[in-house]
Amino acid sequence: MPETAPRATQTSPPESMSIVLDHVGVTLQERPVLRGIDLVLEERRVGIVGLNGSGKSTLARLLNGLVLPDEGTVRVHGLDTRTQARAVRRAVGFVFQNPENQIVFPIVGEDVAFGLRNIGLPKRDAEARALAALAAHGLDGLADRPAHTLSGGEKQLLALVSVLVMEPRIVVLDEPTTALDLRNRNRIRAAIAGLAQTAIVVTHDLDLVSDFERVLVVDEGRIVADDAPEAALRWYRENRA
Amino acid sequence: MSPSLYVPGDGPLHRLPAGAKLAALAGLGVALFLVSSPIVLGAAALAAAGVVAATGVRLARLRGALAGVAIVVAIVVAANAWLAGWREAAAVGARIVALVLLGYALTLTTRTSDLLATLERLLAPLERIGLADAGKVALAVALVLRFVPELMKQAADIREARAARGLRVGPVALVVPMIVRVLRSADAIAEAIDARAYPPCKSPPTSAIPSSTGPGSADHDNA
Ligand SMILES: Nc1ncnc2c1ncn2[C@@H]1O[C@H](COP(=O)(O)OP(=O)(O)OP(=O)(O)O)[C@@H](O)[C@H]1O
Ligand SMILES: [Mg+2]
């Protein structure tokens, strides 16, 4: 089976509504990690799959400027991640694989409020919005709990809520279900399904992205398949399993 | 359970503003160093225990933390007894106990965010003359409070893993893997803080979302 060619840039919606990677290359410690990536993402649900070390996380990190391209440009809603990093961070929320490392404050409610305080919200408003966001994801009642006493699933949901409360237009999630049991995995899956915004999900849990609009397969720093989930995942299973 | 954490409640100490508690702690702290009578200091330690009891927090929650303090106090007292005699040792021991207990009473009854807000206010004058970045200090304190319990848990995990292999756990065996773990997570934590719009913008929020393609301000981090 021939490798699926990356999609042509379709009759495009306004550039301001999409993520555009133009000839992007990333080199980390003298090793090329991503090469010649051309992408236009405008779907509301995009999955990214691929083997360990293929470059998925690096690709995801490019989208909110945690990694900057060594070649080419990354534009999110028209914002250049290199020169407009702050605005890009506001537009793109990032949920990391290990929630442990992204919970910053000792108490759950305070952690959710942290990002809101950073964007200048007064304490009271930040706290009220934090409570509302926790409640929206079934975590009300945990607001006063020390974060380190939460279960793994609750921590991952907290990490997601702490990002969502900032109302980013795009949410990037890097392996959000890896450490979770079936029930918590389904909670995260439901939370993603319910998101109003664009979600880009890196995962080894192929089922998680099976009902997405588009799936990318990354291999050795390149995008080797880019299609509807069924076709892309079939390509991945047949060629890389 | 870590002592560094707020326990919800509505006792008198919970209702007292963070600034007042912080000021009282500072004042009493200085006073404790001005007094040298072991009897007075012993009474102060007892009174401090009374204050902790008045927070209404169950003693069981403090047991682990108190055990740690007891070891430190025992070492300090023994050293002082050896070097300076029992009178001095008793005074030093009682002073530490009183201070630690008052510190617990503060952190048990005060939300971290309130504590940090007060700290930021106190540091504001220093910030104005360019001597300190109040926000950074506050974040650092928050991170310490957040990760101390995590570290204690990691220490327990390492101890358990070694015990499971029939190994004894000396301080070196504990400290080395912990430093490795801390350094490994430090980068990830820094990245996560970055991703959540830190450092804060000082201006009030405009629209929640950057709206257009306009040439935004060039940013700080071109790593
Ligand atoms: N900071 C770094 N310095 C040097 N090399 C790095 C760095 N980060 C990642 N790499 C390398 O880049 C390659 C791609 O890493 P990346 O984390 O993007 O892979 P991944 O697809 O997310 O893998 P996994 O499925 O294991 O998470 C790997 O070979 C990795 O070793
Ligand atoms: Mg990865």
Side-chain angles (χ1 to χ4, degrees), chain B residues 24-52:
Chain B
L25 179 64
L28 289 170
V30 171
L32 284 170
F33 279 89
L34 296 178
V35 175
S36 58
S37 150
I39 294 165
V40 175
L41 287 169
L46 274 180
V51 173
V52 173

Side-chain angles (χ1 to χ4, degrees), chain A residues 100-173:
Chain A
E100 217 70 88
N101 291 339
Q102 53 189 319
I103 300 172
V104 177
F105 269 66
I107 305 292
V108 170
E110 295 175 339
D111 190 68
V112 180
F114 169 65
L116 294 174
R117 300 300 312 277
N118 286 341
I119 58 172
L121 238 65
K123 190 162 161 352
R124 245 169 234 291
D125 300 357
E127 278 170 3
R129 264 171 70 174
L131 276 179
L134 283 167
H137 291 269
L139 295 183
D140 33 351
L142 294 188
D144 280 329
R145 278 268 293 276
H148 76 276
T149 64
L150 302 188
S151 77
E154 290 167 337
K155 281 182 183 165
Q156 189 59 277
L157 267 174
L158 168 59
L160 179 58
V161 170
S162 291
V163 167
L164 291 181
V165 77
M166 310 281 289
E167 297 178 356
R169 287 197 195 170
I170 299 169
V171 187
V172 180
L173 301 101

Side-chain angles (χ1 to χ4, degrees), chain B residues 2-3 13 15 18 25 37 58 71 73 76 80 85 89 91 100 130 132-133 144 164 184 187 190-191 205-206 213 222:
Chain B
S2 159
L13 272 170
R15 287 197 303 263
L25 179 64
S37 150
R58 276 173 298 127
I71 293 170
V73 170
V76 172
N80 269 282
V100 168
D133 180 332
V144 169
R184 206 186 293 148
D187 275 344
E191 212 174 38
T206 46
T213 352
N222 282 9

Side-chain angles (χ1 to χ4, degrees), chain B residues 90-183:
Chain B
V92 169
R95 190 181 287 140
I96 297 176
V97 169
L99 264 178
V100 168
L101 290 176
L102 289 174
Y104 281 1
L106 173 73
T107 50
L108 284 170
T109 59
T110 315
R111 284 170 188 278
T112 325
S113 52
D114 291 341
L115 209 54
L116 298 182
T118 308
L119 206 61
E120 281 190 57
R121 266 205 309 281
L122 289 175
L123 289 172
L126 288 183
E127 178 161 283
R128 237 168 278 130
I129 56 173
L131 270 181
D133 180 332
K136 268 188 195 153
V137 174
L139 180 62
V141 172
L143 284 172
V144 169
L145 294 178
R146 156 79 179 89
F147 284 99
V148 161
E150 214 75 66
L151 285 174
M152 281 160 62
K153 188 167 161 291
Q154 286 191 6
D157 288 351
I158 293 169
R159 203 176 279 132
E160 218 170 43
R162 289 189 63 93
R165 287 184 288 160
L167 301 170
R168 291 192 23 170
V169 195
V172 176
L174 201 59
V175 165
V176 172
M178 283 192 54
I179 290 176
V180 172
R181 286 187 196 202
V182 168
L183 291 179

Side-chain angles (χ1 to χ4, degrees), chain A residues 28-29 31 33 50-59 175 204:
Chain A
L28 296 173
Q29 295 177 4
R31 273 194 47 212
V33 173
L51 301 179
N52 287 132
S54 55
K56 304 180 297 296
S57 294
T58 309
L59 179 57
E175 300 194 33
H204 294 292

